[in-house]
Amino acid sequence: MKKIFVFIIVAVTGMSLFSADYIDLINEGLILLKQGKIEESIQTFEKAKNSQPSSPYPYYYLGEAYYSAGKRKEALDNYKKAIEIDGNNPDFHYSLAHLYLAEGNNEECIKSLDRVIEIAPSSITGKSAKKLKASVLAQTQ
């Protein structure tokens, strides 16, 4: 019984350290991205992804970094992966909508904005999505 208790303590402590490393990587990547060090942020988010492949956040932030680098295909792949893992995060769909808008794909942009509005209609992101949708619809008519 004592061995099981010690094992549980060691396992929990190990997971806490692992999580701290992951969070540190995400934070470091965000700082690098805000500093305009895009390639370095991509490398850092890749490490976070490898550390926690089941978390949507490294994929989302990789999408943001790739989008900043002008690499839309990579951004699209990462946004979609983040949404595959967590389809209920309005920020993921909102960023995807902006990518579609930048590509001139208004139909997919509207679909992504509709999803944001469905998930979080009264949030700041939801309200922004409503405004952007109205603007896109006005331009297409």
Side-chain angles (χ1 to χ4, degrees):
M1 183 69 167
K2 194 174 188 179
K3 287 182 181 181
I4 292 174
F5 181 72
V6 170
F7 174 75
I8 291 172
I9 296 296
V10 170
V12 169
T13 303
M15 284 191 281
S16 296
L17 292 174
F18 187 67
S19 294
D21 288 342
Y22 164 75
I23 292 168
D24 288 344
L25 288 169
I26 293 292
N27 287 332
E28 180 183 344
L30 287 170
I31 290 167
L32 291 166
L33 187 58
K34 288 180 191 238
Q35 291 174 340
K37 299 177 181 177
I38 297 170
E39 289 304 319
E40 292 165 334
S41 72
I42 289 170
Q43 292 171 0
T44 304
F45 292 134
E46 284 289 348
K47 289 176 188 175
K49 179 181 80 172
N50 293 335
S51 169
Q52 295 277 335
S54 62
S55 173
Y57 295 101
Y59 298 99
Y60 171 68
Y61 291 124
L62 275 165
E64 296 287 278
Y66 280 122
Y67 186 81
S68 294
K71 298 179 179 180
R72 292 184 182 160
K73 167 75 171 95
E74 291 86 351
L76 177 66
D77 292 344
N78 280 284
Y79 287 148
K80 285 184 172 184
K81 182 64 178 177
I83 290 168
E84 179 184 314
I85 295 169
D86 179 5
N88 291 316
N89 187 314
D91 294 327
F92 298 171
H93 294 279
Y94 192 70
S95 290
L96 182 60
H98 275 278
L99 185 140
Y100 284 133
L101 184 61
E103 291 182 336
N105 189 341
N106 292 344
E107 184 178 328
E108 289 301 319
C109 173
I110 296 294
K111 286 180 187 178
S112 293
L113 292 171
D114 283 340
R115 184 69 178 124
V116 173
I117 295 164
E118 177 186 331
I119 295 167
S122 55
S123 71
I124 292 171
T125 306
K127 291 174 183 177
S128 296
K130 288 175 189 174
K131 287 180 184 176
L132 182 57
K133 179 181 176 183
S135 174
V136 171
L137 288 173
Q139 291 175 1
T140 58
Q141 295 178 6

